[in-house]
Amino acid sequence: EPRSPWCCLAWTLLIATMNSLVFLLNLLLMFVIFTVVLLPTIVVVYFGFQCHSQVLHSSARYCKSILDDNSSSALIILGFVIMSPLLVVAMAIYCSLARRLQLLVCFQPYSLALYKGGRWCRRGEGAPCCARGCNTQLRAWV
């Protein structure tokens, strides 16, 4: 049966808040994984740009003694070349972790706010939030 308008509004806000938190958790997890995996690329490109005379031309000792313009250009190119495989590795790590934690199944449908009697997913059976207590037809992965 349908909920009253105020109850529907309260449930809608609750479900929207929960879905927003799950989205932010996914975003934070993705940011941390991509930052850690792409750290070698970030460091190599940073030092390449920092020591190149036409970009930043730092006065640091290692820029004067070790890196000239040619080696700085090589670092920049190397950084962008190794970025592609590391992006694939980062995405594979995120996808496997999201699948293992079943984070994409934690999103709640808004039909719970409209009608009484819908099943609120419960924590259980090793899932971090709601993956196994609900309709199995709505899973993101098999």
Side-chain angles (χ1 to χ4, degrees), residues 86-98:
L86 289 179
L87 279 172
V88 172
V89 169
M91 186 52 95
I93 291 171
Y94 169 73
C95 288
S96 68
L97 196 59

Side-chain angles (χ1 to χ4, degrees), residues 10 12 16 19 22 57-58 62 69 86 93 110 118-119 136 142:
T12 301
N19 286 343
V22 170
H57 194 58
S58 174
Y62 57 85
D69 280 351
L86 289 179
I93 291 171
Y110 284 101
R119 275 182 71 174
T136 58
V142 178

Side-chain angles (χ1 to χ4, degrees), residues 78-105:
L78 175 69
F80 285 113
V81 166
I82 66 173
M83 186 184 304
S84 296
L86 289 179
L87 279 172
V88 172
V89 169
M91 186 52 95
I93 291 171
Y94 169 73
C95 288
S96 68
L97 196 59
R99 181 177 182 189
R100 181 169 303 196
L101 296 176
Q102 298 181 351
L103 292 177
L104 300 177
V105 184

Side-chain angles (χ1 to χ4, degrees), residues 35-75:
T35 302
V36 169
V37 171
L38 291 176
L39 192 61
T41 298
I42 295 168
V43 169
V44 167
V45 170
Y46 171 75
F47 282 117
F49 278 123
Q50 184 181 15
C51 294
H52 200 280
S53 67
Q54 295 183 356
V55 183
L56 293 177
H57 194 58
S58 174
S59 61
R61 194 180 95 217
Y62 57 85
C63 287
K64 292 179 181 179
S65 62
I66 299 173
L67 296 173
D68 59 353
D69 280 351
N70 291 333
S71 57
S72 296
S73 298
L75 281 179

